Amino acid sequence: MSSISIGDLVAVRARHPEAIAEAAARRARRPLLGGSGRLMIVAADHPARGALGTGGSELAMANRAGLLERLVLALSRPGVDGVLATADILEDLLLLGALENKIVMGSMNRGGLAGASWELDDRFTGYRAQDIERLRFDAGKALLRIDYDDPGSLATMHSTARAVDDMAARRLPLFVEPFISRRVHGQVRNDLTAEAVTRSIAIASGLGGTSAYTWLKLPVAEDPGDMTWVCETSTLPVVLLGGETNGDQEGAYEKWRTALRLPAVHGLVVGRSLLYPADGDVAGAVDTAVGLL
C-alpha cells in the first residue's frame, strides 16, 4: 500500500479548508448504475458510530492513515464503483483525489453509538440531504434497526421517513439498511432469520411520501436459499450488506454469490471484511468480491 501523510491532510484542513469544497465541485461524476447494472461499494462509515473493531482487534479501524490506504487501494481496483462513508473520511478521500468517477454515498445517521443505552434512537448526526446535494455526491444511506421493545426505534423510523422524503425531493437515492433487532444481555443483536429480514423489508419499503428513490441495503438471511422469497417482499432495488465474516471468508463469498443471482439484487456494499481481511490481502479480497458480480 502507498504511504499516506496524515500531516499533509491536517495541513490542508488547517490552512485551506475551502480545498474540500473545491475538490467536490470539480470531481468527475458518473451514473449510479453503469452498463453492467451492478454496484460494488466499499463501506467505511463504522468509525463514526464508535465501531472500530474487526478481526479480533477492538481498534483496528482507529488508525486513519491505515484506513485511508486500504480505501484508496480498494477504490483503485477494477470493478469497484464507489464508497460509503461519513464526512471526515469522504473529505480525506476527496483531498487524495480518490473519488474521481466514483459513486459517493454519504452516511446520514450515526448517532446510535455502539453499546450506548440510546443505540436504537439512531439520530441523523451525519450527512443531511442538502449536504449530499451541495457536495454533488450521488446517494445517501440510513441505518434502521427496529426493536419492538425499544422506543428509540420509533424515533429512528420517523427520522428515516423524513430522510426518504428529503432525498426524493432532490431526486437522490437513499439506501435504507433495515433490521429487526433485539437486546441480548444488553447488546443489540440483529435477527437474520428470513422472517425477520422479510418484516424489515416491508417496513422500510413503506417509509416516506414516495419510494421512487429508495433502495434497500439488506443482509443475507441465515439460510441464503431463503433470499428468493425474502426479496419478493418488495419491488425496491436491493444491494447486499456484506457484514462480518467471522473468519469464514469463503463461506461469506458463497452466501453472497447465491443471493446475487436474484433479479432484485444489484450489487454489494462491503466494509470491514474487505478492508481488513484475515490474510491482509485487501486487493485480493476486493477482486474476489468484484468477481462475484
Side-chain angles (χ1 to χ4, degrees), residues 6 10 55 59 66 72 80 96 99 130 163 187 234 249 269-270 276 289:
I6 291 295
V10 172
L59 295 175
V72 170
V80 174
L96 293 169
L99 299 182
Q130 58 262 44
Q187 299 296 312
S234 170
Q249 196 83 8
V269 180
V270 190
Y276 296 86

Side-chain angles (χ1 to χ4, degrees), residues 54-55 60-63 66-68 70 271-278 280 282:
T54 186
M61 299 185 75
N63 184 288
L67 174 59
L68 291 173
R70 292 166 187 269
R272 289 172 285 190
S273 60
L274 295 189
L275 294 173
Y276 296 86
V282 175

Side-chain angles (χ1 to χ4, degrees), residues 218-277:
L218 301 178
V220 179
E222 289 175 349
D223 183 347
D226 287 337
M227 291 300 288
T228 300
W229 63 266
V230 165
C231 286
E232 292 175 350
T233 307
S234 170
T235 59
L236 300 186
V238 170
V239 292
L240 300 178
L241 162 68
E244 290 281 4
T245 64
N246 297 318
D248 184 11
Q249 196 83 8
E250 291 303 319
Y253 290 148
E254 187 55 39
K255 288 175 64 175
W256 301 342
R257 183 181 292 109
T258 299
L260 282 165
R261 298 190 183 108
L262 301 175
V265 178
H266 284 69
L268 279 169
V269 180
V270 190
R272 289 172 285 190
S273 60
L274 295 189
L275 294 173
Y276 296 86

Side-chain angles (χ1 to χ4, degrees), residues 46-129:
H46 312 85
R49 207 171 60 79
L52 298 168
T54 186
S57 171
E58 290 300 314
L59 295 175
M61 299 185 75
N63 184 288
R64 182 52 56 92
L67 174 59
L68 291 173
E69 287 171 359
R70 292 166 187 269
L71 283 168
V72 170
L73 175 57
L75 287 165
S76 73
R77 304 304 298 173
V80 174
D81 294 289
V83 62
L84 160 64
T86 47
D88 55 331
I89 293 173
L90 290 181
E91 288 166 357
D92 285 342
L93 292 172
L94 275 172
L95 293 174
L96 293 169
L99 299 182
E100 299 302 308
N101 291 301
K102 298 296 182 183
I103 297 301
V104 182
M105 297 174 60
S107 188
M108 301 179 76
N109 60 324
R110 297 280 86 187
L113 302 184
S117 61
W118 68 86
E119 184 170 350
L120 293 176
D121 186 350
D122 202 343
R123 304 292 176 94
F124 278 64
T125 57
Y127 282 106
R128 302 166 299 174

